[in-house]
Amino acid sequence: MIVLFNCTCAVPTTMDSFHPVPVKVNPDLQKERDAALFNPVELTYLKDGGKDKTERRRRCELLAINDPDLQHKDISFMARNERYSNAVRKAVIIARKIKEHRLTNMEEKQLYISAATQYDTYGFGLHYGMFLPALSAQCDEEQRNYWLPLAENLKILGTYAQTELGHGTFIRGLETTAIYDPKTEEFVLHTPTLSALKWWPGNMGKTATHAVVLAQLYTNGKSYGLHPFIVQLRSLENHQPLPGITLGDIGPKLGFHSFDNGFLGFDHVRIPRRNMLMKYSQVSPDGFYIKPIHAKLTYSTMVEARVTLVSDIAYSLSQAVTIAVRYSAVRRQTEQIKGVKEPQILDYRTQQLKLFPYLAAAYAFTFTSFVITGRYIEVQNEMNDGNMESLSELHALSAGLKAFTSYVGNEGIEVCRLSCGGHGYSQASGFPELYTLTAPISTFEGENTVMLLQTARYLMKCATTAKRGLELPRFVLYLSQRQKGQCPARNESDLLDHGLLSDAFEHRARRLVIEAAQKMQSNIGKGNPQHVAWNNCHMYLLKAASAHCHFYVVQTFVKYINDTEMSDAVRDILTSLCQFYALHGIWQNAGDFLQDGYMNGNQLDMVQSLVGKLLDKIRINAVALVDAFDFRDEILCSKLGKYDGNVYEAMYEWAKNSPLNKTEVHDSYNKYLRPLMQSSKAKL
Ligand SMILES: CCCCC/C=C\C/C=C\C/C=C\C/C=C\C/C=C\CC/C=C/C(=O)SCCNC(=O)CCNC(=O)[C@H](O)C(C)(C)COP(=O)(O)OP(=O)(O)OC[C@H]1O[C@@H](n2cnc3c(N)ncnc32)[C@H](O)[C@@H]1OP(=O)(O)O
Ligand SMILES: Cc1cc2nc3c(=O)[nH]c(=O)nc-3n(C[C@H](O)[C@H](O)[C@H](O)COP(=O)(O)OP(=O)(O)OC[C@H]3O[C@@H](n4cnc5c(N)ncnc54)[C@H](O)[C@@H]3O)c2cc1C
């Protein structure tokens, strides 16, 4: 619902702005918009991929936002049960409305869902986010023809059940078994121990009727490792768990309160042979096993999810900086000169140093998400033609970037919250929900440290390949190039050169990868077994993987600006943002650039000075930069980040709705306080 305030000042919004002309905009925020040196809507078009795409996105969002069936009270005021129920109700309505509005394109469906769910989780998130992708990727043609229409038409509701109580990261160690019985041509699914209970799968606690279950396959007395099976969990008549199946919700978590993450146990549950998903590996009726063309194809659903998470984290970080920058423009604090108005907190250098690195990162990650999504589609097409050559590269890239961006993203959201002082702690700010929704991205779909170590494993192999003078894939080609000596920057203007900045990150990544490879070699040379050497070298490996990802992001940002058509004004601000992202990265990791003498103290002084100078360039455009993300208030769900900047009015209105304010005198007064106070002998 859009609240219109009384008109007190004219609001010059651009023709292209979709924001309903609010009737009173906070003058501080208006001043920021008037002072900006570029038109934010141009950047919005760029980010969306063109004006027509922006318009389409806005239309999809409005369809959801204006729909009376999708309205409800603020989720902050709901208990968990109510939240779960509301999420399911909305998921059902969303499914119906997507058909009614004839949203057939996947991007439009996602936009619609995201606007309809606002900052809550989507009740069929796992169904669409993992169950359907797993079926699409792992079913053979006959299975696809059977299962996909059922799942797409919501005749069955699914989840992805991989993690167990005792095993999450090390999936080769999962305990759930699927033993083939050739006599009946069935698999018998079983949970042999408590630690083998499936634990965590989203929508499994109360919603799902089916699951793609990852289990250890045994046939003819031999173990063949982890394979996916589709298993019916609940009756399609009355939703009761089927015989032999134990199901439940795992209880409240840090966040995801509307989500029914669940547990699942099997007691010798029989499923037909053809419920094993057989695109890549098969078991014949007599129990003969046919192995896949690549051993890790079973893991492909996770790769897809990791790619998606890079976009998700860019989106969430963009929301966080939008809230914090707008609020910092309207919040005033601490008189500097007696009698003169307190300054906007956005004017404090420390506030800028908190927010602008994450503002720059939000753009950097958005552009990175475009590139990794594009690469994912390319590799997917190659794989559909039977060429698995790039799968390892895609795994290394997606695992590393998911970890690198989510570390920064989670940290950024928390810094943005802190930058809003006390109000950042209120649910009205939007931060608690935003933070708890994004925090587990560092854990799910592969715990971040583990993911960076996977990237490191790939980089170590590439370092060896490079040493042998053999060919490397494009994104690690730099490992076969010689180190370039010292950073050539002589003055500050040299240090603003995108090529020079990208070279600095390239140098750092190459050095750290080679150093980690050398440490591994020398550890093994001392007689340590591989796994001991690996553990001994963790700190080098982690750093190498992280530096590689950091370089990838800087390089992508630079390339995006070089290769994309844009107005001079937008190019100018994106250039400053990119310079700031890179220079701030050098400043924060100064030790890495000094350690081998690539940079010297004098150059570092210049880096620091430039970071300070660029703060001014970003400061003037900061509000326009966050406006360009183009979040409607109904999607941002933050009283601090409202487009019109009328923060205090909104907070007061919101607080009045707190259930505790339903009555002037709370029940607990009569129950507890009154007896306590009136029993006292002391008289007033
Ligand atoms: C109406 C229509 C609407 C449409 C709507 C559309 C969209 C829906 C909208 C919204 C929904 C969106 C989102 C969903 C909603 C909410 C989300 C909520 C919750 C999130 C759900 C979370 C799910 C999960 O977490 S699932 C569980 C994930 N688990 C993990 O990630 C486990 C991590 N562990 C591993 O990946 C692996 O075990 C390991 C750590 C990689 C190690 O594996 P292992 O087998 O032990 O391998 P190694 O021995 O280490 O290595 C061997 C060899 O293999 C290579 N390798 C490893 N992995 C892969 C891989 N994936 N691909 C390729 N290669 C791989 C490895 O590098 C090594 O190679 P080498 O031998 O050459 O060195
Ligand atoms: C909100 C949420 C939703 C989820 N949804 C699903 C779902 O739908 N389906 C599903 O199957 N699962 C789901 N999960 C589970 C999730 O995928 C796992 O929790 C995740 O993969 C991490 O595994 P773990 O819990 O075993 O962590 P652990 O591996 O136990 O990690 C604990 C610590 O050990 C360290 N560690 C572990 N192994 C290594 C190693 N080899 N080297 C160095 N350090 C190591 C980690 O770095 C970490 O610090 C969900 C989890 C959450 C929080």
Side-chain angles (χ1 to χ4, degrees), residues 94-95 98-99 103-107 109-110 113-114 121-122 124-130 132-133 152 154 160-163 168-173 200-203 226 256 259 261 294-303 305-306 308-309 312 391-396 398-399 402 437 440-441 443-447 450-451 453-455 457-458 461:
I94 289 168
I98 281 178
K99 275 196 187 144
L103 301 176
T104 46
N105 163 301
M106 184 55 85
E107 223 179 313
K109 287 180 189 174
Q110 281 172 345
I113 292 171
S114 143
T121 43
Y122 173 40
F124 297 158
L126 257 287
H127 179 83
Y128 287 114
M130 292 203 75
L132 259 169
E152 278 164 356
L154 303 175
Y160 182 79
Q162 180 174 293
T163 307
T169 288
F170 182 57
I171 51 184
R172 273 184 293 139
W200 273 115
N203 300 148
L226 216 54
F256 270 72
F259 230 51
N261 294 84
H294 188 295
K296 298 298 169 187
L297 282 168
T298 315
Y299 297 179
S300 65
T301 314
M302 291 181 279
V303 175
R306 287 169 196 150
T308 311
L309 289 174
D312 290 353
L391 181 60
S392 309
E393 169 200 327
L394 185 67
H395 165 56
S398 57
K402 177 271 194 191
L437 274 179
I441 299 181
T443 306
F444 62 50
E445 296 303 356
E447 197 280 328
V450 174
M451 290 297 99
L453 288 173
Q454 282 290 313
T455 305
R457 180 177 167 126
Y458 180 82
K461 284 195 164 181

Side-chain angles (χ1 to χ4, degrees), residues 10 111 131 219 247 329 522 529:
L111 287 169
F131 179 67
T219 177
L247 276 167
S522 91

Side-chain angles (χ1 to χ4, degrees), residues 2 18-19 44 47-48 53-67 70-71 101 103 107-118 315 319 628-636:
I2 296 152
F18 72 89
H19 289 280
T44 307
K47 173 189 75 65
D48 285 338
K53 288 211 170 147
T54 298
E55 284 169 354
R56 207 183 61 181
R57 172 176 59 75
R58 289 172 179 172
R59 273 199 304 273
C60 276
E61 289 173 356
L62 274 180
L63 276 180
I65 285 163
N66 289 339
D67 191 328
L70 290 168
Q71 309 305 318
H101 297 309
L103 301 176
E107 223 179 313
E108 284 181 348
K109 287 180 189 174
Q110 281 172 345
L111 287 169
Y112 183 82
I113 292 171
S114 143
T117 49
Q118 299 174 352
Y315 185 85
Q319 292 196 318
F629 290 128
D630 207 27
F631 291 118
R632 297 187 62 97
D633 285 349
E634 297 88 340
I635 287 178
L636 206 54

Side-chain angles (χ1 to χ4, degrees), residues 24 74 115 126 138 152 160 173 245 303 327 388 447 454 473 494 516 523 525 531 663 667:
K24 183 191 94 179
D74 193 317
L126 257 287
Q138 309 279 344
E152 278 164 356
Y160 182 79
I245 289 181
V303 175
Y327 176 69
M388 304 292 151
E447 197 280 328
Q454 282 290 313
D494 287 345
N523 243 278
H531 71 280
T663 52
D667 288 351

Side-chain angles (χ1 to χ4, degrees), residues 20 35 57 72 87 161 177 180 184 204 293 361 372 568 609 651-652:
R57 172 176 59 75
H72 51 83
T177 51
Y180 186 62
T184 57
M204 193 166 77
I293 40 172
I372 187 178
D568 289 348
S609 151
M651 286 197 65
Y652 186 43

